[in-house]
Structures are given as C-alpha cells and as structure tokens.
Amino acid sequence: MLTDSDKDIKTASELIRSGEVVGIPTETVYGLGADALNADAVKKIFAAKGRPADNPLIVHIYNLEQSERLAVNIPELFFKLAEKFWPGPLTMIVPKNKIIPDETSGGLDTVGIRMPSHRVMRELIRLSFPIAAPSANRSGYPSPTSAEHVMQDMNGKISAVIDGGISRFGVESTVISFDNADTVRILRPGSVTERELSEVAENVIIDDAILNDIANDRAAPSPGMKYKHYSPEADVKIIEGSFDEFAGYADSLKKDGLYCLIFDNDDKSKLPCSFMTYGNDSDTQAHSLFSRLRELDKAGAKEILVRSPQKDGVGLAVYNRLLRAAGFEVIKL
Ligand code: AMP
Ligand code: MG
C-alpha cells in the first residue's frame, strides 16, 4: 500500500510507465491504472479484474490538448462540455486515434475519455499520460470506494495501491456518446446529471439500457451494459413502496441472512430484519451504496431488500447501479 505523498505518487507513476498496474484513488471510485498505449499492461488490468476483453477502458487525461492525441473528429460539443464539467466525473466517447490499442478500446473504433479532478489521479496522469483505468473491483462486484476495498479484491494481483481516502462521489463517471452535433446520449448515469448536461447540450437522451435489461443484446451501445455488475454475493431485491409496506414485506419473508438496506430516517423500530442504512438524499446514497453492499456481504447477508432510491438527478445513477446489482429484480408493493 502506498500513501498519497509526492514520493509515493512518483513511485506509482514509475510502475505505470514500466507496464505495471496500480490501484488509484479518483473522485468517483478507485481505479486500476495502467499505460493506455501499452497493450501488455492493459491486458494485466483485464486479467486482474477478470473483465471480458470486449469491455473497453476509459482513458484519462491531464489537460484538454491531450484529448487530440487520443481521438479524431472530436465534435465541438465535446469541448463545450469539457469546459463545464472537466476536470470531473464525465466520460465522453469519441472516435479513437489509431495509437490506442484494441486491447484498451475493447476492439471498438471509439475511446472514452475523462479528465479526473482527484489530486492524486491528476498528478499520476501528469507524470504518466495516458492512463487507462476501469473501476478497481473484481469484475461483477461492487466498485471500490476505499483502498481497503481495492486490497480485498486485488491483493496479490497488482503492483500497488495508493491510499487516498474514501472516494468523494462513490459512483462511477457519467458516460456519454454523441448522436449528432447537439445531441448527447447518456450510456451510464453518474454524478453529472441529465439536467446539468442539458444546460450545455441542446438534446440529452437517456439510453434505454440504463433502466432496462438488455443482457445478451449484441447491439449494446456500451459493452458494459451487457454484463452483470455491481453485485454483492447476496441476492439483491429493490423494493418500491412506503416504508410500512417495505417492513410488511420483510416480515413476510423473515429468514436467516435477510438484511434490509434502508434510509437513515426510516423508523428502524418497526423493522423485522437486520439492517444497514445508506442515507436519505441521492448524494449520500451514491457515496455509501457500494460500501454498504460490501459490508452486507461481510455481515453474512444472503438476501438484501433495498428501499428504492429517488430516480432523478444523481439518484438515477444510484438506481441504475442497484438495478444491475439486483439483476433488474424490482418488487412493487
Ligand atoms: P469502468 O471502466 O468499470 O468504469 O466502466 C467503463 C464503462 O464505460 C463500461 O461500461 C464501458 O463499457 C464503457 N465504455 C468505455 N469505453 C467505451 C466506448 N468506447 N464505447 C462505449 N462504452 C464505453
Ligand atoms: Mg466498473
């Protein structure tokens, strides 16, 4: 484990430049970083995660000029969005420059680019541009929001992890593509919301796959949409309805290993099962969701009933992660 000191960041950047994989704190979740232009290094990321080879990696930049080294035919709207949201949790998909190996782009002719804001990640990119980095979880499991989470999943599989504390946002970046000159399509919701995007782009489309299961659909606009994701070992179900209905449903199920994930202000005295809370507002829920799912596994949960979050703003990101964790199992009471 490395610290976030300048000396340790330099050590990490040397590891990356020599083709190794390092766990890195970012403002979204922890990432697994490697040299985006080194196919062998990138393959180590896929091996460490057990990630399907057709699921592309986001490539991270330090300044806007670097996007021109990674991409071609970049639309004007990209730069307008960059001005407003970078550095920050927005990933934009554009046609890739040939210097990006197929291993990094999952065989696609596009590349997802992001300029992160986290001090440690920024310094690492400055020293070792360009860095390809997916979330640092084993494939399919909830994303890591602390260095400990990365160690749990990656111990022995990667060269080092930098401990930069708890991730600020707690959900991965908003991923968008461009349908035309003034239309963006949200492929993965995140902390940059539909409303914020529409302050810059004339049209913002929320892709169907954000709220609907397109498993095994080859036409997925983003390969990550096809795969099981964010799932703890326990079986997750999303429960829609009032808290009383939720408590009644939990009571009817009552069994060993049943846990409830509820809001902070719910009336816990009425609850018939063991529980954890994940906040009241969307920002707090985004911040704590993945960590709670991991804690519930640790606590021995077999089945988790989750109170459905709000679905607008950042809440859409929370709901999208939960939907996938639950394999789209939603119970409406
Ligand atoms: P992660 O690296 O774990 O944050 O996941 C990155 C997400 O962005 C995955 O769902 C990828 O499928 C998606 N993504 C990355 N690059 C592209 C691309 N070029 N085209 C479409 N989706 C992409
Ligand atoms: Mg991921």
Side-chain angles (χ1 to χ4, degrees):
M1 184 95 80
L2 297 171
T3 71
D4 59 0
S5 69
D6 289 345
K7 180 168 157 283
D8 279 7
I9 293 174
K10 191 155 168 284
T11 303
S13 82
E14 280 158 9
L15 285 168
I16 289 172
R17 272 184 285 133
S18 67
E20 297 303 323
V21 175
V22 176
I24 312 172
T26 85
E27 70 276 21
T28 56
V29 299
Y30 272 69
L32 277 190
D35 179 351
L37 304 183
N38 178 340
D40 289 331
V42 165
K43 279 188 197 160
K44 290 182 189 171
I45 294 181
F46 282 86
K49 280 180 66 80
R51 181 173 175 111
D54 71 348
N55 195 1
L57 306 182
I58 293 168
V59 182
H60 297 82
I61 60 175
Y62 176 76
N63 59 40
L64 201 52
E65 291 73 60
Q66 291 175 337
S67 50
E68 318 256 14
R69 304 244 323 261
L70 303 178
V72 295
N73 301 326
I74 303 177
E76 201 46 47
L77 185 52
F78 173 103
F79 294 102
K80 286 192 188 145
L81 291 162
E83 196 178 326
K84 175 146 169 116
F85 298 108
W86 280 357
L90 178 68
T91 298
M92 298 192 261
I93 294 171
V94 283
K96 78 167 186 177
N97 184 329
K98 287 194 191 69
I99 61 163
I100 296 187
D102 279 342
E103 282 77 4
T104 303
S105 63
L108 298 177
D109 53 11
T110 54
V111 59
I113 304 180
R114 179 164 104 83
M115 187 195 292
S117 64
H118 195 288
R119 177 187 67 85
V120 174
M121 181 61 161
R122 274 186 71 71
E123 184 59 7
L124 270 172
I125 307 166
R126 192 180 71 77
L127 297 170
S128 37
F129 163 83
I131 297 181
S135 53
N137 51 291
R138 59 184 162 88
S139 196
Y141 204 60
S143 298
T145 54
S146 71
E148 288 69 34
H149 294 163
V150 180
M151 291 299 276
Q152 283 160 18
D153 283 19
M154 294 296 153
N155 204 2
K157 297 182 177 168
I158 60 175
S159 295
V161 181
I162 299 180
D163 187 352
I166 308 273
S167 308
R168 175 170 154 217
F169 292 115
V171 288
E172 306 83 349
S173 60
T174 303
V175 177
I176 60 166
S177 61
F178 297 88
D179 277 17
N180 58 48
D182 36 43
T183 306
V184 302
R185 175 178 294 271
I186 302 180
L187 301 179
R188 177 175 72 184
S191 294
V192 173
T193 63
E194 177 194 13
R195 192 183 51 74
E196 288 173 313
L197 288 167
S198 48
E199 286 165 17
V200 181
E202 218 161 283
N203 310 302
V204 180
I205 296 170
I206 296 183
D207 195 87
D208 276 351
I210 285 174
L211 295 174
N212 299 292
D213 190 2
I214 55 152
N216 304 320
D217 180 349
R218 292 235 176 95
S222 179
M225 292 169 164
K226 289 188 298 192
Y227 297 109
K228 174 173 173 272
H229 214 155
Y230 318 120
S231 295
E233 301 300 338
D235 197 38
V236 176
K237 286 193 179 73
I238 301 174
I239 312 295
E240 290 189 351
S242 68
F243 180 69
D244 284 349
E245 288 167 328
F246 179 94
Y249 181 77
D251 199 33
S252 72
L253 277 189
K254 232 181 193 170
K255 56 180 158 187
D256 276 357
L258 180 69
Y259 278 74
C260 295
L261 186 57
I262 58 173
F263 306 148
D264 289 355
N265 58 9
D266 284 336
D267 179 3
K268 289 127 199 152
S269 67
K270 285 191 190 165
L271 215 57
C273 52
S274 311
F275 67 88
M276 289 189 192
T277 66
Y278 75 122
N280 295 320
D281 60 281
S282 298
D283 286 337
T284 312
Q285 290 173 348
H287 184 74
S288 52
L289 177 66
F290 287 139
S291 163
R292 288 295 178 274
L293 293 178
R294 284 174 176 260
E295 286 164 28
L296 284 159
D297 266 354
K298 264 200 165 162
K302 296 279 176 290
E303 184 164 343
I304 306 169
L305 306 181
V306 185
R307 278 211 74 193
S308 188
Q310 279 189 301
K311 297 171 195 165
D312 57 344
V314 177
L316 184 66
V318 177
Y319 186 63
N320 165 264
R321 304 310 189 273
L322 272 169
L323 267 180
R324 307 197 72 88
F328 291 87
E329 204 171 344
V330 181
I331 292 169
K332 298 191 167 128
L333 299 176

